[in-house]
Amino acid sequence: MSFPFEQFIIQAREQNKSLEFIDACLSYGKALEEKELPVIFSLEHLAIQIGIQSVYLRNLIGDGKWDINYEYEHKYKRYNYFKLKKRDGKFREIMAPAKDLKYIQKWILVNILSKYVLADSCKGFRKGISIKDNAKVHENSEVILKVDLLKFYDTITEKRVCSVFKSLGYVSNLAYSFAKITTAKHRESYWKDFDENSKEILNELVDNKPPILPQGAPTSPAISNILATKMDYRFEALSRKLNFRYSRYADDLTFSIKNGGKLPSLKLITTIISDEGFFINSKKTKYMKRGCKQYVTGLTTSNGTNVSKEYRKTITEHIYYCRKYGVNSHLERRKEEFPKYNNIKFHNWLYGHMCFIKSINEKASKKMLEDFNKINWYV
């Protein structure tokens, strides 16, 4: 919705606002509108735009006075904390915002963050772009270099998030409020669980434990992409100079060459990443030459983009054994792999994997789906 500038001028004059004040507000508002961003002057104005009461919003971010009509609750307590197991057996702590905070964050995502124009090389968390698009960039490569960013979200602090909203054109106080709404503090135990290498590299973060981007908030992926955009543009410019290919999916950076070209040195890559406020996870740096298995975001790229043969074989075997022995018998045989799974849960798990295969290679999934539909799920 366009901001009513004419009405604003009339009301400002009626309130005896100075010409300098009116001109400054108009300049500020029109700069935001040119970027197709909502014109917002203050936290109270933001509350009106979202459709909530300003005292609630102030209390939510821990910036409000006590009001007997509201339960004062600091924003950092507005998250549900739980852990998800990763492939390496370690755990990732998720901070999922409560329903009311999530609604506000989604408003910010849809109305502000989604308007930002990202680099073409950014493939993660974008509508209509998938891991398949990221992998296709690196098909049939002579060499692929994979670089992982260390504790990607944890390095994006409240201060850095504030700079994002200021760069979009919002006044400092409002940018700071946006940052408080979209960041959170981990529990004390989270920082203690860092391995020694991470503690040494990120010692300042570990010592200060600042509010950071929470994994689980709808705004976090978009904010991380915006903060990494300058880095993406620098690698894109370098790729044109050295004739290599580059893409980024969240914290996974991939470089590759095909038919000549030159990969940048790890030293140069590290310098650029460091300049932009991020850190390399050296344990996950990997070169993959032609003739060896080449993977990009979990997909094989040696002969076009595909799911691996091993992965397809695993899903095909599950379907085969379900048809041969029955679902209950198959789950009993694999109870260590699928503890507490019933027929419905296993049906959804298996169907989800086939849908994923179909999204990458529809031809490979056709026979699987035909056999899947012949399973008797009641035995």
Side-chain angles (χ1 to χ4, degrees):
M1 182 182 293
S2 179
F3 184 77
F5 288 106
E6 294 301 322
Q7 184 180 346
F8 171 82
I9 294 171
I10 293 170
Q11 290 185 353
R13 286 173 176 169
E14 289 176 352
Q15 295 172 17
N16 295 318
K17 298 295 184 182
S18 69
L19 182 61
E20 290 79 9
F21 174 84
I22 295 173
D23 286 344
C25 290
L26 291 177
S27 176
Y28 169 76
K30 287 179 179 178
L32 289 169
E33 203 162 70
E34 283 178 5
K35 298 177 183 178
E36 299 183 355
L37 296 172
V39 178
I40 306 171
F41 292 96
S42 65
L43 194 65
E44 285 71 19
H45 191 192
L46 173 63
I48 293 170
Q49 295 267 34
I50 297 175
I52 59 176
Q53 295 190 14
S54 60
V55 65
Y56 168 75
L57 189 55
R58 284 202 175 277
N59 284 341
L60 185 68
I61 66 174
D63 191 30
K65 295 179 180 179
W66 180 268
D67 190 314
I68 59 173
N69 297 314
Y70 289 86
E71 178 186 356
Y72 183 87
E73 188 173 8
H74 196 280
K75 178 264 267 195
Y76 296 140
K77 296 180 181 177
R78 300 294 291 168
Y79 288 84
N80 299 310
Y81 294 79
F82 59 93
K83 292 184 177 181
L84 291 180
K85 195 170 185 178
K86 299 192 292 184
R87 291 180 182 178
D88 59 7
K90 296 179 181 179
F91 289 89
R92 174 181 287 113
E93 182 165 87
I94 304 297
M95 293 187 283
K99 187 177 180 181
D100 48 3
L101 178 56
K102 188 175 183 179
Y103 173 81
I104 295 167
Q105 291 174 341
K106 279 190 173 180
W107 189 95
I108 294 170
L109 172 64
V110 171
N111 293 280
I112 298 176
L113 300 174
S114 64
K115 307 293 179 66
Y116 190 90
V117 180
L118 299 167
D120 290 339
S121 56
C122 173
K123 305 298 184 183
F125 310 118
R126 301 183 68 178
K127 189 175 181 179
I129 299 177
S130 68
I131 59 171
K132 182 178 181 179
D133 298 296
N134 184 55
K136 282 185 73 67
V137 174
H138 307 282
E139 287 181 339
N140 310 314
S141 297
E142 292 176 18
V143 183
I144 293 176
L145 168 61
K146 288 172 61 65
V147 173
D148 183 76
L149 299 181
L150 180 66
K151 304 289 184 182
F152 185 41
Y153 276 12
D154 297 336
T155 60
I156 300 177
T157 61
E158 183 180 84
K159 184 178 179 180
R160 296 184 71 187
V161 174
C162 182
S163 72
V164 167
F165 288 99
K166 286 173 73 172
S167 71
L168 292 174
Y170 289 105
V171 290
S172 296
N173 286 350
L174 187 57
Y176 179 61
S177 295
F178 277 129
K180 294 192 79 175
I181 293 169
T182 55
T183 59
K185 277 193 172 182
H186 275 293
R187 294 175 291 187
E188 185 80 18
S189 60
Y190 175 80
W191 303 98
K192 291 180 179 178
D193 288 341
F194 275 26
D195 60 56
E196 291 305 316
N197 181 59
S198 297
K199 284 180 180 178
E200 183 178 349
I201 296 172
L202 306 176
N203 63 304
E204 188 175 337
L205 287 173
V206 174
D207 289 343
N208 296 326
K209 303 174 182 59
I212 49 85
L213 277 191
Q215 292 204 32
T219 43
S220 294
I223 291 172
S224 68
N225 275 342
I226 292 171
L227 269 169
T229 296
K230 186 181 175 183
M231 178 179 70
D232 291 335
Y233 282 140
R234 290 181 70 178
F235 281 128
E236 285 181 5
L238 189 61
S239 72
R240 291 189 290 271
K241 183 177 180 180
L242 299 181
N243 190 27
F244 65 84
R245 299 174 294 185
Y246 165 76
S247 70
R248 180 181 61 82
Y249 194 97
D251 56 353
D252 290 328
L253 281 60
T254 309
F255 307 81
S256 66
I257 52 174
K258 177 184 178 182
N259 301 328
K262 181 181 179 182
L263 287 176
S265 68
L266 264 178
K267 183 178 180 180
L268 178 55
I269 291 172
T270 303
T271 298
I272 292 174
I273 289 174
S274 179
D275 284 349
E276 301 307 323
F278 300 108
F279 303 85
I280 279 185
N281 185 351
S282 56
K283 292 180 180 179
K284 292 188 177 181
T285 300
K286 187 175 183 180
Y287 286 92
M288 295 173 287
K289 296 182 179 180
R290 193 193 300 275
C292 301
K293 289 182 179 179
Q294 294 180 327
Y295 289 89
V296 177
T297 44
L299 302 176
T300 61
T301 58
S302 301
N303 241 331
T305 301
N306 208 340
V307 289
S308 69
K309 290 181 179 178
E310 293 87 350
Y311 178 69
R312 282 178 283 162
K313 182 181 178 182
T314 298
I315 301 305
T316 300
E317 284 180 349
H318 281 304
I319 296 171
Y320 172 78
Y321 289 126
C322 281
R323 290 185 61 197
K324 182 174 182 179
Y325 300 113
V327 180
N328 290 325
S329 178
H330 180 58
L331 287 176
E332 182 61 28
R333 291 165 182 258
R334 301 289 187 91
K335 60 184 177 182
E336 288 188 9
E337 187 179 352
F338 300 99
K340 299 181 181 179
Y341 268 61
N342 58 25
N343 294 33
I344 295 174
K345 190 174 181 180
F346 186 69
H347 171 282
N348 295 339
W349 179 88
L350 194 55
Y351 185 69
H353 282 280
M354 285 191 301
C355 288
F356 171 69
I357 292 171
K358 184 179 180 182
S359 71
I360 307 300
N361 186 337
E362 189 168 356
K363 184 178 178 181
S365 70
K366 188 176 180 180
K367 181 68 165 56
M368 288 184 194
L369 284 167
E370 289 175 355
D371 291 341
F372 174 84
N373 289 328
K374 295 175 183 177
I375 296 173
N376 183 349
W377 290 96
Y378 300 98
V379 297

